[in-house]
Every structure is written in structure tokens, then in C-alpha cells.
Amino acid sequence: MKVLVPVKRVIDYNVKPRVKMDGTGVDLANVKMSMNPFDEIAVEEAIRLKEKGVATEIIAVSIGVQKAQETLRTALAMGADRAILVLTEDDAEPLAVAKILKGIVDEEQPGLVILGKQAIDDDSNQTGQMLAALLGRPQGTFASKVEVAGDTVTVTREVDGGLETVALKTPAIVTTDLRLNEPRYASLPNIMKAKSKPLANKTPADYGVDTAPRLKTLKVEEPAKRQAGVKVADVDELIGKLKVLGVVA
Amino acid sequence: MKTLVWVEHDNTSVKDATLAVVTAASQLGEVHLVVAGSGCAAVADEAAKIAGVGKVHLADSPAYENALAENVAPLIVELMGHHDAFVAPATSNGKNIAPRVAALLDVVQVSEILSVESANTFTRPIYAGNAIATVQAPAGKLVLTVRGTAFVKAERTGGNGTVEAVGGAGDAGLSSFVGAEISKSERPELTSAKIIVSGGRALQNSENFHTLIEPLADKLGAGVGASRAAVDAGYVPNDYQVGQTGKIVAPEIYIAVGISGAIQHLAGMKDSKVIIAINKDEDAPIFQVADVGLVGDLFKIVPELTGKL
């Protein structure tokens, strides 16, 4: 079965985002960009399914600017077989992304779509669930374990109270949580090989989707800063503070 | 505006997460609730007593027992025929169900709102809470999830809602519930605890978590949390994790033990009223947000503190 893995180009996990002075957004000029960490986990999971003989082909897809091609090359270097770049200058919202992905799923007919549970830029946590809704297919969100047997995928989910396991009929949509796996680094030979793997260029119009944002961002601000407090010398002084705060009598 | 609020429950009682959402929804208009579950009539009766609540839609069917999104979303969509906004807590259920509802309604969702600025304008955190965006939704139906720590909890009493049974389509036949491993604990739940004691990687192992963090928490009647590093290292289960991708908490007192204070962790607890940090590294970022800091060896400090309390 084919596995489709959508990946997003976002600010690198280790970079501290800075809000633009004019309040229009976060400054991304000359900032290191990388694959969304949850999507890296998704790519890794797809590769492991291929290594187990469950997946036959891995297709990576990204929706974004021309430079998102680099993110796709990373996915190819990790082990994806081919890639699709859907080019748009818009900051596509989860609903628009889900609609484009539906178009790709209709064409490619994958048995599984694995994607990150959220992107670390807009923190929406919506795309996978929306794609599942548009396709009328089941969703296994926040996955910490994925097992495929026949036409059933069993997903262990990280939920508020602990873990929960659901069985889904394929085709199904899985979104990844942190502890599903630890993504591999691409080796140099694989990075070289990735350069010659096929990458198709598409546009949202090819799927009949308008990516113009529906939500209007009025402003973006820094959060209120906390002031650092005082340091105490020892446990007795700490207990004194706790008494002042009324934590202990 | 008529809002429809998702009631978080365990088929027995209403969970606290619901109460903040009722407050958020009441800032938009009339508050109606949906209780979807199995054998959950008592939950609906309890929910009807929440202050400010109007109608409670009760969907009682084995298909809704475990809140599977595939079964629940069509029910919500049906109810949204006569509501203007679907408002859910940003719990694992809310996050799972709301986007499925939004896509079926062909509307965008506004995730984890922090405030209601007007009937269509909200603030929400982006970039792990490093920025706060003010966003305006287009005309049409709204789908929102609500960050529980950002709104006061509605009172559990004083309401006089009416319960009305609704059917819904039942089992969509796409998914089934296999089982759950839910952590059992006598301690308060993280998202509603007044005091939280959290441990980090410096605890070194699971054993130290049990012998150091837990006795201190029990002395204070506190909930127990952990940093992502401690969870990833396997010291404690995933549901202990406090942070942007774990639980967002805002207790009266948050005691961080051996936690350096990565951005990711701070995003989950920096709205706590008082933060106390114990760490051996005096330059640890946690001290930049802590109200009270104690630099030193947690293996000496924590037993002494527990002993003296």
C-alpha cells in the first residue's frame, strides 16, 4: 500500500521566534527553516512501515513556497520515494491544506496518510482531522504506536488520561505525537540520491482549491513577560516564602 | 448567538475542563451543551446545573461511549443546524473532534483561544506561546477550542438547564475502541490541581521520581507533572507531561524540580500564579520566570523540604 506523508516547512525547532515590530507576524527573514518536527516523525514512521514490508511506496507532499522543495528533499533523503510540491505564496490554512491533500489522496489512493499532529508555527492541530472528515475516513490522532494488519490499522493514542487504542479501517489518517519514534538522520549518500528522486510541481488550482486565508490576523504581539523573582539561600527560607504565600501553615 | 459546548465527561460526571468553556461560550451568547456518551444521563443532569446553561442535548448511545470522532462529529454537525458556534475544550477529545466538525461544516477553526475580544475576534497562542495572535473569523458558523487556563471556571451550581434527548446517526462503522490505559491516581488532576510539583530529567530515573517528587506532592496535596525530557526518558507516563505539546496548566503554585525550563515547557506552565524552581544550575532559564528560586542539589533539598513541611 502507498503511504502519503504531508510535510511542512517551518521555523527551526531551536530558533526563538521574534515578533515583528509592526505587529504583523513573526520575523522569518534570514531565520533557519526546517521540517516540522512532528512531520519528521511521520516520515520516519512511513519508512519503518516500508522496511516492515507494509508500505510499498512513500509519497511526500508539501504545500508552500518554492523553498518547501528543500523540505521535500529532506523527506526524500530520509527514505521517501517521490515528492509533490503544491506551490502557493499564501499562508495556507489547515482547511485549505486538507482540501488540497484530499485532491492528492483521490489521485494517489494511499492506504494511509501519516502527518504531524500540529505544526510548530501556527500550532493549529487541525489538518489531519480535517482531511479525515473531507475523505469520510477514520482518524487516529496523537499516535504513539501504529500497527497495520490487513485492512486494519491499530493506533495507540496519547490522551489526557494516559493512552487509548483504536482500530481503524484503512484507508485511514494518522497524526503523530512525540513518542511514536525517533526520526533518523539522512546519510550523505542518501542526500545525494534524493536529488535525483522525482519531484512533481503542482498548484492549488490543479486541485480546485483557493488558498487565500479566511481568518484575518489583526495583530501579533509578544506575550506578557514574567518578571524573575528572588532567589532564596536554603530550604528554611523557601518554607518561609511558602508560608507567606499561604501554601503551608 | 447560540453556542453549543462540548461537555467533557467520563460517562459518570462532568469534568472541570467543561467549566472554562462554558465561561468562554457565555461571552458569545446563549450556552447550550451537548453530552455525548453511553449511559450518561446523570452527566446531562449534572451539566444542566452549571451556572448560565440553557438546553442540554443528551445523545446517549453505545456509539458515543468513547467519544470516537468518526461517530460524534456527524452528531455535532446535525446540532449545528440550529447553533452558531461549536465550542470545545482544548482537551485530547476537543482537539480530536472539533477540526472534524469544522471541515464537515466547511469553516475554519480557531484553536486554543485565550480570550473573546468580540463575537468574531479572538486571541490565540502561536509559535509555542512565543507570540499571541488576534484573529478575526469570517461570517458564518464558528468552531473554537478553548484553552482552559485562560478562562475562569463557571460555577457547577445555579443553572437551570433543560435536558433534551437527541438521536444522531450512531456508529459510522469506520473505527472502534480497543482499550485504554488510564493512569489511576489519588492525586489531583494536573489541569485542575491548585498545586503542582513537576520533575525533570535531573531526577535521573523513575525510582527517584517516586521517592522524591511524589512524597513532596503528597505533603502539599499537589498534582504531579513532568518535563518532556523526563517523559521521553521513561521516568513517568506521557500524561504527566506539562508543556506546549503536553498539558497546559496554571495552578496557584507550580514547583519545578530539576527542570531547566525549555521554551516548550515554559509554554505549558508560565501562567501559573507562583512559580518555585529548584535547580542546581543557577543560570537555568527556569529562574527567569520563577518567583522564588533555590539553587542547589535537589537530592538534598527535596527530602529536607518534604521533611520540614
Side-chain angles (χ1 to χ4, degrees):
Chain A
M1 101 182 149
K2 285 188 200 174
V3 178
L4 187 75
V5 188
V7 295
K8 187 177 186 182
R9 178 179 183 265
V10 297
I11 191 168
D12 186 82
Y13 185 77
N14 292 308
V15 175
K16 183 166 164 51
R18 293 197 189 283
V19 174
K20 282 193 226 169
M21 295 296 279
D22 64 2
T24 57
V26 164
D27 193 2
L28 296 176
N30 303 315
V31 166
K32 187 183 177 200
M33 305 290 280
S34 298
M35 190 190 297
N36 179 41
F38 290 100
D39 300 346
E40 253 184 323
I41 294 171
V43 174
E44 175 66 34
E45 195 62 19
I47 298 167
R48 291 186 188 188
L49 287 173
K50 197 178 171 195
E51 287 166 349
K52 280 186 207 156
V54 174
T56 50
E57 189 187 27
I58 301 166
I59 308 153
V61 49
S62 193
I63 295 148
V65 295
Q66 188 63 43
K67 280 200 163 170
Q69 203 185 101
E70 295 166 11
T71 312
L72 288 170
R73 291 288 173 205
T74 305
L76 293 170
M78 285 173 74
D81 296 294
R82 61 187 168 94
I84 301 169
L85 173 62
V86 183
L87 196 64
T88 175
E89 293 295 323
D90 288 328
D91 218 345
E93 290 168 344
L95 183 62
V97 171
K99 286 180 178 180
I100 292 170
L101 293 176
K102 178 184 185 293
I104 297 173
V105 168
D106 288 344
E107 271 178 22
E108 299 283 353
Q109 298 289 317
L112 271 182
V113 182
I114 311 179
L115 62 173
K117 74 166 181 179
Q118 72 191 70
I120 62 165
D121 49 4
D122 61 20
D123 285 326
S124 288
N125 195 334
Q126 300 173 5
T127 305
Q129 297 89 315
M130 286 181 158
L131 175 62
L134 297 175
L135 290 166
R137 297 308 310 167
Q139 64 191 48
T141 51
F142 327 142
S144 66
K145 194 173 172 196
V146 175
E147 282 176 312
V148 183
D151 60 358
T152 302
V153 52
T154 305
V155 178
T156 302
R157 309 176 53 227
E158 294 202 356
V159 296
D160 292 336
L163 298 170
E164 172 183 303
T165 305
V166 290
L168 315 174
K169 287 194 183 140
T170 56
I173 286 76
V174 171
T175 77
T176 62
D177 216 318
L178 288 170
R179 282 164 284 273
L180 179 58
N181 61 50
E182 224 169 284
R184 69 194 63 191
Y185 290 101
S187 67
L188 190 60
N190 284 342
I191 292 170
M192 299 311 288
K193 228 164 63 186
K195 288 182 180 160
S196 55
K197 285 186 178 175
L199 192 154
N201 283 287
K202 297 280 189 177
T203 65
D206 293 337
Y207 304 99
V209 177
D210 176 7
T211 51
R214 293 196 198 173
L215 268 184
K216 199 164 149 191
T217 299
L218 302 181
K219 64 179 171 192
V220 175
E221 299 164 293
E222 291 221 12
K225 278 210 169 42
R226 263 191 105 94
Q227 295 298 318
V230 295
K231 287 215 174 90
V232 293
D234 53 30
V235 170
D236 292 327
E237 207 181 319
L238 179 59
I239 290 173
K241 287 278 179 198
L242 291 174
K243 279 183 180 154
V244 173
L245 294 166
V247 184
V248 290
Chain B
M1 189 189 291
K2 261 204 225 167
T3 69
L4 182 69
V5 167
W6 172 261
V7 175
E8 189 81 17
H9 65 88
D10 54 7
N11 290 307
T12 313
S13 60
V14 174
K15 294 216 170 171
D16 267 3
T18 313
L19 305 174
V21 185
V22 167
T23 303
S26 69
Q27 294 173 13
L28 290 166
E30 252 178 86
V31 182
H32 294 189
L33 308 180
V34 54
V35 174
S38 181
C40 56
V43 177
D45 292 337
E46 191 189 343
K49 297 194 182 81
I50 298 172
V53 162
K55 202 173 282 178
V56 180
H57 301 279
L58 168 63
D60 195 335
S61 152
Y64 304 134
E65 182 173 2
N66 298 295
L68 292 171
E70 296 81 1
N71 298 350
V72 165
L75 166 74
I76 308 289
V77 169
E78 202 182 304
L79 290 170
M80 283 301 286
H82 51 95
H83 291 87
D84 307 298
F86 178 59
V87 195
T91 52
S92 44
N93 274 334
K95 290 173 181 173
N96 192 37
I97 294 163
R100 194 163 177 116
V101 170
L104 292 173
L105 294 170
D106 192 25
V107 299
V108 292
Q109 173 183 314
V110 186
S111 295
E112 297 228 12
I113 63 163
L114 300 172
S115 69
V116 175
E117 301 292 312
S118 74
N120 65 357
T121 306
F122 312 92
T123 61
R124 61 174 303 260
I126 53 175
Y127 290 88
N130 281 294
I132 308 295
T134 304
V135 295
Q136 193 178 64
K141 295 195 189 285
L142 288 172
V143 174
L144 312 169
T145 62
V146 173
R147 178 168 286 190
T149 56
F151 294 86
V152 295
K153 292 185 185 123
E155 294 293 333
R156 279 183 176 265
T157 54
N160 192 18
T162 50
V163 178
E164 191 176 289
V166 290
D171 193 343
L174 295 170
S175 58
S176 56
F177 180 80
V178 178
E181 278 175 55
I182 300 301
S183 305
K184 288 218 162 47
S185 171
E186 298 296 308
R187 299 190 185 93
E189 268 186 49
L190 277 181
T191 48
S192 53
K194 288 202 162 57
I195 305 176
I196 293 173
V197 181
S198 269
R201 187 159 40 194
L203 265 300
Q204 291 175 354
N205 56 47
S206 166
E207 183 61 27
N208 289 337
F209 227 95
H210 292 306
T211 55
L212 294 169
I213 299 296
E214 291 176 1
L216 175 58
D218 292 343
K219 205 79 176 244
L220 295 165
V224 176
S227 70
R228 179 186 161 187
V231 176
D232 282 355
Y235 304 168
V236 285
N238 64 280
D239 52 292
Y240 280 52
Q241 186 179 322
V242 171
Q244 176 69 5
T245 58
K247 292 200 171 76
I248 310 288
V249 301
E252 302 281 318
I253 315 275
Y254 188 88
I255 305 180
V257 180
I259 292 177
S260 63
I263 293 176
Q264 198 284 127
H265 185 76
L266 299 183
M269 47 62 83
K270 69 179 165 54
D271 293 327
S272 306
K273 211 172 231 172
V274 175
I275 298 172
I276 294 167
I278 298 169
N279 202 297
K280 69 172 188 310
D281 175 11
E282 63 176 317
D283 296 322
I286 191 78
F287 289 121
Q288 288 164 22
V289 299
D291 300 281
V292 183
L294 176 51
V295 179
D297 181 3
L298 73 92
F299 293 96
K300 289 200 189 93
I301 291 170
V302 175
E304 187 187 342
L305 178 59
T306 308
K308 284 183 175 170
L309 282 174

